[in-house]
Amino acid sequence: MSALSELYKQALAVRDRAYVPYSKFAVGAAIMSTSQKIYTGCNVENVSYPCGTCAEAGAIAAMIAAGERLIQDIVVVADSSNLISPCGACLQRIFEFSDKNTKVHLADLEGIKKTYAIAQLLPAAFDEEELRR
Ligand code: THU
């Protein structure tokens, strides 16, 4: 199995553990770091709706907690006829730990359907250059 199929498989598996009693919309995310380790996350909702967290945020937190800093690939999977893209806040979260080689793979229950560079999804990201101006 290729590294990308394994990443998709893990995103799909963690999606099954999403806590989504309110939206019923389960999302899974799996990151392959540049050291070829996999970190996963699912969405975790809360009765106080804004306290809920996205799948991507969970996967990024796991990667950072393990001491890593750079995403090579991230797969985001949901069951939707329109392929979902990470929300705006998650694009910014992914951007923080990306470089020009980072790939964002959008998937449904059949597999990965589209692949983008983060700059294609968030072309005008707020980056650290802006802080220095
Ligand atoms: N959600 C994610 O986990 N990732 C996304 O990129 C989009 C949305 C979650 C948040 C909420 O739990 C549910 O999907 C419906 O918005």
Side-chain angles (χ1 to χ4, degrees):
M1 184 183 279
S2 78
L4 202 53
S5 330
E6 176 61 25
L7 198 62
Y8 170 73
K9 206 177 100 187
Q10 294 212 24
L12 205 55
V14 73
R15 177 183 167 276
D16 281 341
R17 301 195 284 275
Y19 176 74
V20 289
Y22 308 106
S23 74
K24 319 270 192 235
F25 190 78
V27 184
I31 289 172
M32 175 74 76
S33 67
T34 45
S35 68
Q36 310 304 295
K37 295 210 178 82
I38 293 179
Y39 302 97
T40 61
C42 54
N43 49 339
V44 182
E45 297 185 344
N46 192 282
V47 64
S48 174
Y49 295 175
C51 296
T53 49
C54 285
E56 297 90 328
I60 289 170
M63 181 188 84
I64 296 303
E68 299 224 42
R69 290 288 184 270
L70 191 52
I71 300 170
Q72 178 185 289
D73 296 277
I74 177 166
V75 175
V76 180
V77 62
D79 182 10
S80 176
S81 46
N82 292 326
L83 211 50
I84 72 151
S85 175
C87 73
C90 284
L91 288 174
Q92 185 71 39
R93 291 186 178 105
I94 295 166
F95 175 81
E96 183 77 16
F97 304 108
S98 291
D99 67 11
K100 62 178 179 9
N101 299 314
T102 299
K103 300 272 186 304
V104 182
H105 307 276
L106 309 184
D108 60 18
L109 300 190
E110 293 173 345
I112 292 172
K113 296 287 170 71
K114 284 190 174 157
T115 296
Y116 295 97
I118 185 68
Q120 291 176 284
L121 298 175
L122 190 65
F126 182 76
D127 67 25
E128 57 176 330
E129 293 284 301
E130 329 264 354
L131 289 181
R132 295 201 205 98
R133 278 179 203 139

